[in-house]
Amino acid sequence: MERVRTIFTHTYPYPHEHSRHAIIAVAVGCLFFISSDNMHTLIQKLDNNSKWWSMYACLLAFFYFFSSPFLGKTIKPSYSNFSRWYIAWILVASLYHLSSFQSMGVDMRMNLSLFLTIYVSSILFLLVFHVMFLGLWYVGLVAHVAGKRPAILAILQNCVVISIACCVFYNHCGNRAILREKPFEQTHSGWFSFWKKEEQKTWLAKFLRMNEFKDEICSSWFAPVGSASDYPLLSKWVIYGELACNGSCPGSSDEISPIYSLWATFIGLYIANYVVERSTGWALAHPLSVEEFEKLKKKQMRPDFLDMVPWYSGTSADLFKTVFDLLVSVTVFVGRFDMRMMQAAMRRVQDAQQDDLLYDHFSEKDEMWFDFLADTGDGGNSSYTVARLVAQHSIRLHSANEVLNLPRGDLLLIGGDLAYPNPSAFTYAKRFFRPFEYALQPPPWYKEEHVAVNKPELHCGVSKLKQYDGPQCFVIPGNHDWFDGLQTFMRYICHRSWLGGWLMPQKKSYFALQLPKGWWVFGLDLALHCDIDVYQFKFFSELIKEKVGENDSVIIMTHEPNWLIDWYWDDKTGKNVSYLICEWLKGRCKLWMAGDLHHYMRHSYVPSDKPANVQHLLVNGCGGAFLHPTHVFSNFNKFCGTSYKSEAAYPSFDDSSKIALGNILKFRKKNWQFDFIGGIIYFVLAFSMFPQCKLDHILQDDAFSGHLWSFFSTAWDAFMFLLGHSFVSSAGAMLLLIAAFTFIPSKISWKRRLMISILHVSAHLAAALILMLLLEIGVEMCIRHKLLATSGYHTLYQWYQSVESEHFPDPTGLRVRIEQWTFGLYPACIKYLMSAFDVPEVMAVTRTNICKNGMESLSRGEAVIYYASVFLYFWVFSTPVVSLVFGSYLYVCINWLHLHFDEAFSSLRIANYKAFTRFHIKQDGDLEVFTLAVDKVPKEWKVDPQWEAEPRQPSHLKKFPSKWCAVSSQQDPLSTVRIVDRFVIRQTGKPNVGANQ
């Protein structure tokens, strides 16, 4: 049956890929025609003038650097496609004006004008056809299964392909097929004259005579398809309009143009294919082939993970919402309304029991495994990598000379910042819940829209939380979770029961967990204050007084590592937390762990006569967010009067410093959305400098050093003019200086901030002025050589009208009738389309008028058109440069000045270097700590066949609980995970000798 289905099923799913087939045919034809020309003839036609080829090099270099980020797979298809068409448009519009193409015998103007004419004609013709076809479908003359409307983009793409095919034919054959037929035998001269007659019959000789074969194709294969007498009704009525002449029109040609026949053939094939498919509905109703079905199934069987958050996007609605939410949170929720106070008030209403804050169901275990991670919910690949590791039934590792088997934790602790960039329902569902649900599926009765009213919600005959044997999860909020006042966190964490296969018994944003062997975990909610509130302090202090024993050990879990943040900013935050640790716990705090910084670092106290309030300070924010540097914090060594030593850092200090180099090389590739901001900034800086009318001293100097000196002296004059006379550019420079000053962290003095900001803005100003001069010099050179500004805005259309009658005769006046039938719309569309396409001509004509008569001679509309045409090119030139300058600034600041640690690494959006920490409370009461890391995060996933093969049962009982595994088994996290830190914390009352391992 499958064999029959394969035979009778069309190879391609509907709609057929007309454009792809035509593009392949056109590309093959172009390669054939180009390769058939003698290379020595092509080289002889090259222009030896170095200035034109230098302009070619500059143009192509700038356009390449602009389009280079769009060659990767991380760019959204819509923006990538727009950029390709945009680059093709303005690149061709600039190249065809340069003289080197004309010296090589390529008439770019004819090809471009012909392309635009055929393009408009094809669009109008196909739109009329589709309207008529839909009308026939509406009245029932076409199968109703074919009622799907055509895609406008598909029509435009097909018209482009048809136009390119006609232009390729004209460029290589033209009207030679009509005017004359070249003899097949031609004499050879030049480089290949050494071939003898008897050798010309060999295969290589035939290949060298390919140009003769091309002429034969142009004169025979693309010859006129016939004459008007062969198609009496069609040709006289449609082609020549003789019916309107009431008979034969005088001087009418009896030959059908080969370009028209080629265009009509493509249009006819498109219409025939479309009508057959849509009228029968066969392609829509027929099943896919087995091969295409498997491809579609494979595409669907991939996780729909989101990419890393683009923090430097100038067009992201999420980031604007994040900024707005942050402003509202700072002004409303800090000191005015605090959700933690509301939770405390609700506890008093509910009989003031501690069941909603204290959980002791783990306390009777003999030993226990639990995990800690933080700062997840950024990129889907990185978040799922960590979630896949913590979901595994066990992880097998090799450490030194032993093999370790680390079982899955009974408890998962997440230290805040659950989703980026803001705590919306979309980011929580797509960036946080989805990776964990893929890693460990929720139970069958789970409903996404369910609201947990009475926690814990247990099923399957389990009456108490102590009896549940599956993994559980407790979460504290981070600063990003507080941007909306903790509303989304309360709805998704406190009022839901499942994070994938992890049960969430938690009811409030802070909690206390009593673990075996006298171990405790205090999950603190610091909100946006970087500290706990009074009611939270009251709960934990009473808990310490009433239930925490003298020999118990406490783990403090917060979102922010106050010890590192305070050291970096030279500040003092978290006073209530410090007071709780120092005055209430009094040495029983063995570990303080936090996230917020997206790296791993551990500092352990240096033994001394003074007692240590906290033995180990641990930061692990590698749960899925972008990477943070470690070398910036390498000098930290003291907290609360106790000395500490750095025991582990991931990535290492050296690797962290080397990673920062990516800001110079990869800033724009990672942050292509920054183009919108950078291009506008540079255009504002150079706005008042356009146009530069006095460039004689640069163009007339003979020596290269003279050109260089004149160029930079002109740039200096432009800078002085900007400071003394311009309004828009000087205001933009001043605003940029203020923004650069406020952008620098306030940890250094205002004098150093001012100096750094002046150097930063000066680099941008110099780059903008140099780019402005390069653009102006290029336009000036083309104007002086009569390549631009020769007649007016409609130069291309006027030239096309002058040669139209010679190449495309119209003896019956068909074009005049089309103009009358369309009320002048058809020629007007072509005229203004050609003018809109020819941006360099519009820019040059307006520039010439300004230089002759002054800016006052322009109307407001003409001024807008001029600056818009300048912006189209200046934006392409400036965006790679502004990213390079800004990326270099971040690199210098992060590596030399240790500034902008957040900004310099969020720009890189590094998904690699992910880690989590696994704890083991042993039977002797000691706490063994393992930090497991993955250096490289996979980007391609497939359904795990072992997961599919397992029988249906609760996910936490499966040996292979995760749905997706890496396409390459060698890149799967289970194969690449390794231990980056391992140590032991002694129970309170035991000696600390040999604690670190």
Side-chain angles (χ1 to χ4, degrees), residues 24 51 69 271 346 412 478 491 584 605 640 678 695 697 792 868 880 934:
I24 294 175
K51 63 183 178 183
I271 292 176
M346 293 299 295
L412 174 61
R491 186 167 72 251
W584 286 86
Y605 81 104
C640 289
L695 300 175
H697 58 289
V934 173

Side-chain angles (χ1 to χ4, degrees), residues 132-167:
M132 295 175 59
F133 186 84
L134 289 177
L136 294 176
W137 170 84
Y138 183 77
V139 298
L141 297 180
V142 179
H144 284 281
V145 73
K148 184 180 178 182
R149 296 181 180 180
I152 299 299
L153 292 178
I155 296 176
L156 297 178
Q157 186 176 358
N158 288 323
C159 292
V160 169
V161 174
I162 292 172
S163 305
I164 291 177
C166 294
C167 290

Side-chain angles (χ1 to χ4, degrees), residues 680-681 683-689 721-722 725-736 867:
I680 291 180
I681 290 175
F683 183 69
V684 171
L685 292 178
F687 181 86
S688 301
M689 305 297 106
F721 177 83
L722 182 148
H725 300 85
S726 68
F727 293 98
V728 176
S729 296
S730 59
M734 186 58 62
L735 291 176
L736 182 62
Y867 285 111

Side-chain angles (χ1 to χ4, degrees), residues 252-549:
S252 62
S253 173
D254 196 41
E255 292 180 330
I256 301 176
S257 171
I259 291 183
Y260 172 80
S261 64
L262 187 64
W263 176 79
T265 302
F266 278 119
I267 292 292
L269 290 174
Y270 174 87
I271 292 176
N273 198 355
Y274 190 89
V275 169
V276 169
E277 289 181 351
R278 294 300 184 113
S279 60
T280 62
W282 179 82
L284 287 174
H286 210 70
L288 299 176
S289 66
V290 177
E291 182 180 354
E292 289 296 327
F293 177 77
E294 292 298 330
K295 289 182 179 179
L296 183 61
K297 180 181 177 181
K298 186 177 180 181
K299 182 179 180 180
Q300 292 175 347
M301 298 305 289
R302 292 179 181 176
D304 49 346
F305 290 146
L306 298 179
D307 200 2
M308 305 290 287
V309 174
W311 295 101
Y312 284 85
S313 173
T315 58
S316 175
D318 280 341
L319 295 182
F320 285 111
K321 182 180 183 302
T322 302
V323 174
F324 176 77
D325 289 343
L326 179 59
L327 293 176
V328 172
S329 299
V330 171
T331 56
V332 176
F333 297 113
V334 176
R336 292 173 176 82
F337 175 80
D338 197 329
M339 180 61 72
R340 298 174 299 181
M341 302 172 71
M342 179 66 71
Q343 295 178 78
M346 293 299 295
R347 283 187 62 244
R348 294 185 175 230
V349 173
Q350 299 171 355
D351 297 332
Q353 295 183 357
Q354 292 185 346
D355 295 342
D356 55 351
L357 292 175
L358 174 61
Y359 301 88
D360 58 357
H361 54 285
F362 293 114
S363 59
E364 297 179 3
K365 289 179 173 288
D366 292 332
E367 60 178 339
M368 182 181 176
W369 292 82
F370 62 98
D371 299 329
F372 170 76
L373 61 90
D375 299 275
T376 182
D378 192 351
N381 293 320
S382 56
S383 298
Y384 177 73
T385 295
V386 179
R388 174 170 167 79
L389 289 173
V390 298
Q392 296 306 303
H393 190 267
S394 63
I395 299 177
R396 187 179 179 87
L397 295 164
H398 295 272
S399 176
N401 296 325
E402 60 178 332
V403 178
L404 300 176
N405 192 36
L406 309 183
R408 179 176 55 221
D410 301 316
L411 171 66
L412 174 61
L413 301 173
I414 302 181
D417 277 358
L418 308 184
Y420 293 88
N422 54 65
S424 64
F426 174 82
T427 56
Y428 263 59
K430 302 297 183 181
R431 295 188 180 274
F432 177 55
F433 274 83
R434 177 174 294 174
F436 283 89
E437 289 172 352
Y438 282 148
L440 194 68
Q441 285 72 45
W445 59 81
Y446 168 75
K447 294 182 180 180
E448 185 177 350
E449 65 276 6
H450 175 68
V451 177
V453 179
N454 296 314
K455 281 190 173 185
E457 295 182 333
L458 302 172
H459 296 269
C460 301
V462 179
S463 59
K464 294 183 179 180
L465 190 59
K466 187 181 298 185
Q467 299 173 353
Y468 179 70
D469 61 349
Q472 302 176 33
C473 179
F474 285 80
V475 186
I476 59 171
N479 56 306
H480 282 265
D481 303 307
W482 267 94
F483 284 175
D484 66 343
L486 212 64
Q487 296 298 320
T488 307
F489 180 91
M490 297 295 293
R491 186 167 72 251
Y492 276 81
I493 303 300
C494 299
H495 295 156
R496 282 195 181 184
S497 291
W498 296 95
L499 171 63
W502 287 271
L503 176 67
M504 293 193 298
Q506 168 180 354
K507 300 178 183 179
K508 298 294 187 291
S509 63
Y510 55 93
F511 53 84
L513 295 171
Q514 186 175 2
L515 303 182
K517 307 298 180 181
W519 284 92
W520 295 77
V521 172
F522 289 176
L524 310 183
D525 180 5
L526 303 184
L528 295 175
H529 301 269
C530 301
D531 204 356
I532 58 176
D533 62 314
V534 175
Y535 299 99
Q536 195 174 172
F537 182 89
K538 182 174 184 289
F539 164 72
F540 285 108
S541 60
E542 291 178 352
L543 182 65
I544 294 171
K545 181 179 180 181
E546 297 174 2
K547 294 194 174 184
V548 178

